[in-house]
Amino acid sequence: MTAEQARRFRDDVLNIVGQIPRGKVTTYGIIAAWTGWPSHSRMVGRTLGYTPEAAELPCHRVVNKEGRTAPGWGQQRPLLEDEGVRFKANGRVDMSRFLWEPNV
């Protein structure tokens, strides 16, 4: 990935995260696929963690493909629950009810 591609990737990630509606979640993999880099789901997470502008976005609405929240971020689940997102008994988001896919 060139520097220009990395900037475009970052901008696309931030754009998609900014569109996730309240009460819905999406996955790192879905975001990566929509940016055109389907094998870069970990890079989505890094982008959200290291880009200052991401702090203004609803990053708490991004979970892994199994509906797990980010390890070490204890506030993610309460933030999602405050928006009406429900978790199954196993502690994962009910992806069949709350998954959102971007329309970009």
Side-chain angles (χ1 to χ4, degrees):
M1 183 181 288
T2 67
E4 179 56 36
Q5 288 171 320
R7 280 190 292 279
R8 177 70 181 178
F9 179 86
R10 180 201 60 215
D11 292 346
D12 288 348
V13 167
L14 299 178
N15 178 42
I16 292 167
V17 171
Q19 294 180 49
I20 306 169
R22 181 176 176 83
K24 294 289 184 179
V25 299
T26 199
T27 70
Y28 300 100
I30 288 171
I31 294 170
W34 277 89
T35 66
W37 295 86
S39 64
H40 285 65
S41 57
R42 287 186 182 189
M43 193 168 170
V44 171
R46 286 188 205 110
T47 299
L48 296 177
Y50 293 111
T51 304
E53 300 94 321
E56 304 299 318
L57 298 172
C59 295
H60 64 282
R61 298 178 186 154
V62 182
V63 297
N64 80 3
K65 66 182 177 182
E66 297 170 346
R68 291 185 192 155
T69 57
W73 186 13
Q75 289 302 309
Q76 187 175 12
R77 181 174 176 153
L79 287 167
L80 290 170
E81 288 176 327
D82 286 348
E83 294 183 1
V85 174
R86 299 290 169 243
F87 289 75
K88 299 189 287 186
N90 64 6
R92 298 175 186 171
V93 171
D94 183 347
M95 299 298 277
S96 66
R97 291 180 56 200
F98 297 102
L99 180 64
W100 173 82
E101 294 199 46
N103 228 0
V104 292

